[in-house]
Structures are given as C-alpha cells and as structure tokens.
Amino acid sequence: MEPIRVIGSELRPSVLVVEDEPSLVESIRFALEIEGFLVLPAATGRAGVELARSASPSLVLLDVMLPESSGLDVCRQIRQGSDVPIVMLTARDSEADKVAGLELGADDYITKPFSMRELVARVRAQIRRSERSGRIEE
Ligand code: CA
C-alpha cells in the first residue's frame, strides 16, 4: 500500500476511536483532524467492532474501559478479521492490561493521562509501520 499523504480528501488516513468519554473523543478528534486524519468515533465496543469491519480504518484507538464490554474483548474481536494497527488506551497504569492487550494483538498502548502530542506521534508511528510492512508479520 502506498503511504497516503493527501490531506482533505477521501484518501485521508482514518482513525477509529473507540471511547465512551465524549470530551476525550472530542480532544482526540481535534488533535488528529488538525494533522489530516479522518476520525471515526464509536462510543461502545460493539459499534467499534462493526466500524472496524465496515469502514476499514487505517488504525484503531481502543479504550480498555468501555461501558458494556472490555476493550480487551473488542481487541480480540477486531483481530479475528483484521490486521489493522490497534493502540490501546488505558486509564490504569496496569501491567496486566498492557500485557493482555499486546497478547491479544494490540500493537501499542498509551496510558491515560496522555498528551495529544504523544497520541499523534504514536498514531503516526503505527500507521507508518503498517504501510511499510504491508501488514506482513514482523
Ligand atoms: Ca472509557
């Protein structure tokens, strides 16, 4: 896949944000849209799994703490059908969550609270890596 650099078109890389806190979703949306990403929000794990399948995002930002399902379950479900890069968001600085996420196929994690600069940098790094590898196993 060619690296996508076009801003303001349908070819913008898209980031699916699975998070139930509206204020955080808006902060993330603002930070990513300024950088040229298209943001697809999902407030529940179920909506996230469906959008991951139907919208083929460039990357998934996935909160561990969701109202109806654990982000870890959502990660497992997305991985059943997709190699999309997944970055977990966790409020807890919990080694167990991080290890579980990585073992379920997440590519990276960010511990809350995080800066938007860090978030954008990690999103960019993961998308670059997936473009370079063509999602071939490393
Ligand atoms: Ca949450």
Side-chain angles (χ1 to χ4, degrees), residues 18-105:
V18 188
E19 166 64 83
D20 58 307
E21 292 165 49
S23 62
L24 182 56
V25 173
E26 282 315 298
S27 299
I28 291 172
R29 184 206 284 273
F30 183 77
L32 288 175
E33 285 186 347
I34 263 182
E35 298 292 330
F37 295 94
L38 179 68
V39 172
L40 310 167
T44 65
R46 185 174 184 166
V49 171
E50 284 171 10
L51 262 178
R53 287 185 184 143
S54 63
S56 299
S58 310
L59 181 139
V60 179
L61 280 174
L62 175 57
D63 188 29
V64 172
M65 303 294 284
L66 294 168
E68 292 160 20
S69 50
S70 164
L72 296 173
D73 289 333
V74 175
C75 181
R76 186 187 299 116
Q77 289 176 56
I78 290 174
R79 264 292 164 268
Q80 285 170 0
S82 171
D83 283 334
V84 64
I86 298 175
V87 177
M88 306 287 306
L89 306 178
T90 174
R92 291 170 289 178
D93 191 10
S94 158
E95 189 179 69
D97 272 359
K98 293 170 184 171
V99 170
L102 294 171
E103 286 185 345
L104 288 170

